[in-house]
Amino acid sequence: MKKKVFLVDVIPTDTSPEKMKSRMDELENLITTYGGLTIVKKYQRKAIPDYKTYVGAGKLEEIKNQMKIEGCELLIVGNTLKPQQIFNINENLRSINAQAWDRIDLILKIFEAHAKSTEARLQIELAAIKHMGPRIFRMGMDLSRQGGGIGTRGKGETNIQIMKRHIRESEKKIIKKLEDHKKTRKLHRQSRKNKNLDTVGIVGYTNAGKTSILNKMTKKQSKPENKLFATLGTTVGKLWIQKDDFSGKEILMNDTIGFIQDLPPQLIDCFSSTLEDSIFSNILLHVVDSSDSRIKEKIGVVDDILEDIEANQERIYVFNKIDKIDNNQLQNLKKEFKHLDPVFISAENKIGLEQLKQKIIELI
């Protein structure tokens, strides 16, 4: 049975209605991907978030009462909260047997559900430790006061030390294991280089159709899903391109995690080893959903993240899903994004794939 979710998004007072809607739509998509059911959603315009509860004491009480009436067991705050804020909110919700997550908690839960490889699971565990650690320290401070006050050797103080040590040790072990995966990945890249195998990294906003493109172009059988973050690890397929002189070339294509707006830096850091395959690819395919109403914004999000991870090689903009738009929309896109020199395709219907292959071989 799906969890009933109360969703609240706190936004700056000057946020446009379009931006408000796009943020809420994405949050709802995240909840759907997780497996929850949004029962109530609310916006709150607030110039400065409340120091103690982010939403403010009065608003939190209002939310709690409505959650009780609607039978909601989970409150999602569509922002990144400080440890003290999420702790205080959860303390308040205990009386109705409900709990609260912030946006990072929700994304981590989705990552956890979709992680298949050992490396992806380790990366998620590391991200969770980095996100949850400060909260545990906050709880430990409360225990310390209960155990005899600051400066004493009460039970609470001992608990703080135990939790800190456990977190540090766990983090070190995970980082060591990830370093081993990183070394293996580097060896694989060197092996490909020695064999003169070129690589193409497939990147893009989550749910843009990257996996479908990989499948159609390489005969890979990865299962594309209509969910955010359906791909967490790196999937590799082989593309054979026939040249005009009847010679051919084998190229490796890497499908990696999809990006999202306001993706927290610690999540990008924790997935850096997975994203390395994109950083070290010869070229990048930046996949865009042609039917998306927020194309320009999402292209900007992906470009910014690629800049952050220093993936600055040549890229081909691939406008996918043209089967979902009419000819007028297609012509408008061609005109608006002419400066990107994009290739327009439908991976689902195998439209434009030969043109894309030709562009790849030209750049390679």
Side-chain angles (χ1 to χ4, degrees):
M1 187 177 176
K2 291 184 176 181
K3 280 190 175 183
K4 292 183 177 180
V5 178
F6 190 109
L7 174 58
V8 61
D9 190 21
V10 181
I11 53 178
T13 53
D14 59 350
T15 305
S16 69
E18 293 78 15
K19 180 69 172 176
M20 287 170 56
K21 185 179 184 307
S22 72
R23 279 178 57 89
M24 186 60 79
D25 287 347
E26 190 152 278
L27 285 167
E28 281 199 272
N29 284 337
L30 286 169
I31 290 169
T32 301
T33 299
Y34 164 68
L37 178 66
T38 303
I39 300 299
V40 183
K41 53 185 178 181
K42 277 189 181 294
Y43 297 105
Q44 185 188 19
R45 289 186 180 272
K46 207 170 182 65
I48 301 174
D50 183 74
Y51 179 75
K52 291 184 177 180
T53 64
Y54 203 86
V55 297
K59 179 61 69 174
L60 180 58
E61 199 61 31
E62 178 188 317
I63 289 170
K64 183 172 77 171
N65 291 335
Q66 198 165 355
M67 286 180 69
K68 186 176 180 180
I69 292 168
E70 299 290 346
C72 296
E73 51 195 311
L74 182 62
L75 170 65
I76 302 290
V77 182
N79 310 83
T80 302
L81 273 58
K82 290 183 171 63
Q84 179 69 55
Q85 292 166 332
I86 197 73
F87 179 79
N88 289 339
I89 293 173
N90 273 310
E91 284 295 290
N92 192 288
L93 295 180
R94 283 174 64 182
S95 61
I96 62 169
N97 295 316
Q99 64 176 142
W101 295 346
D102 69 2
R103 189 171 181 270
I104 298 179
D105 290 323
L106 177 59
I107 293 173
L108 283 172
K109 290 291 184 183
I110 294 169
F111 280 9
E112 186 179 15
H114 287 182
K116 296 180 178 67
S117 70
T118 302
E119 186 177 15
R121 286 193 290 269
L122 286 169
Q123 288 168 329
I124 292 157
E125 195 175 343
L126 181 61
I129 286 174
K130 288 176 180 285
H131 184 54
M132 293 295 294
R135 298 185 192 178
I136 295 171
F137 299 158
R138 176 67 253 171
M139 291 165 63
M141 289 170 66
D142 290 335
L143 285 169
S144 180
R145 286 195 288 271
Q146 294 167 14
I150 302 297
T152 70
R153 298 292 298 174
K155 184 179 178 183
E157 186 181 29
T158 304
N159 285 342
I160 295 172
Q161 297 306 318
I162 290 171
M163 285 189 284
K164 283 185 176 180
R165 186 164 53 252
H166 176 69
I167 287 172
R168 281 197 302 268
E169 289 173 355
S170 297
E171 193 170 342
K172 283 180 182 177
K173 287 177 183 177
I174 294 170
I175 290 172
K176 173 65 171 63
K177 290 177 182 177
L178 285 172
E179 282 297 322
D180 291 340
H181 281 279
K182 186 174 182 178
K183 288 175 184 175
T184 302
R185 194 182 293 278
K186 187 175 181 180
L187 288 172
H188 288 165
R189 283 198 301 269
Q190 187 59 48
S191 174
R192 294 196 291 264
K193 189 174 180 180
N194 293 340
K195 294 175 183 176
N196 198 28
L197 279 173
D198 292 309
T199 58
V200 173
I202 308 176
V203 298
Y205 209 87
T206 188
N207 209 21
K210 297 184 284 73
T211 301
S212 293
I213 290 174
L214 178 79
N215 287 346
K216 299 294 183 181
M217 296 187 73
T218 67
K219 304 298 188 289
K220 197 80 178 174
Q221 297 300 316
S222 299
K223 184 182 177 182
E225 297 182 71
N226 188 28
K227 291 182 177 179
L228 304 183
F229 304 120
T231 302
L232 290 185
T234 299
T235 305
V236 181
K238 292 181 180 180
L239 169 65
W240 177 261
I241 296 183
Q242 183 104 5
K243 297 182 182 178
D244 291 338
D245 61 0
F246 299 105
S247 64
K249 184 171 182 61
E250 189 175 75
I251 296 170
L252 297 184
M253 300 187 77
N254 301 317
D255 180 20
T256 56
I257 181 175
F259 301 150
I260 193 173
Q261 67 178 340
D262 302 326
L263 188 62
Q266 63 265 44
L267 292 183
I268 297 175
D269 290 342
C270 288
F271 280 84
S272 60
S273 57
T274 301
L275 294 171
E276 273 182 0
D277 280 332
S278 292
I279 297 171
F280 291 104
S281 295
N282 295 86
I283 60 172
L284 293 175
L285 301 187
H286 178 164
V287 182
V288 179
D289 180 353
S290 298
S291 65
D292 197 304
S293 60
R294 296 163 52 212
I295 288 179
K296 197 169 184 177
E297 178 188 344
K298 291 185 176 181
I299 288 174
V301 168
V302 174
D303 282 343
D304 288 345
I305 293 175
L306 291 174
E307 186 177 342
D308 289 342
I309 65 174
E310 298 181 355
N312 51 21
Q313 64 273 68
E314 283 195 88
R315 67 193 65 163
I316 300 171
Y317 288 87
V318 183
F319 280 56
N320 188 27
K321 304 185 183 181
I322 61 170
D323 54 299
K324 296 184 180 297
I325 59 175
D326 60 35
N327 189 57
N328 284 337
Q329 291 172 303
L330 177 59
Q331 295 309 316
N332 288 336
L333 289 177
K334 287 181 176 180
K335 184 177 179 181
E336 183 177 359
F337 296 99
K338 184 179 179 181
H339 63 288
L340 298 179
D341 192 24
V343 178
F344 291 87
I345 72 164
S346 166
E348 183 67 27
N349 296 338
K350 298 183 179 179
I351 299 170
L353 296 186
E354 290 305 316
Q355 183 187 353
L356 177 56
K357 287 180 184 179
Q358 185 59 37
K359 195 142 190 172
I360 289 171
I361 201 68
E362 285 172 6
L363 285 184
I364 289 287

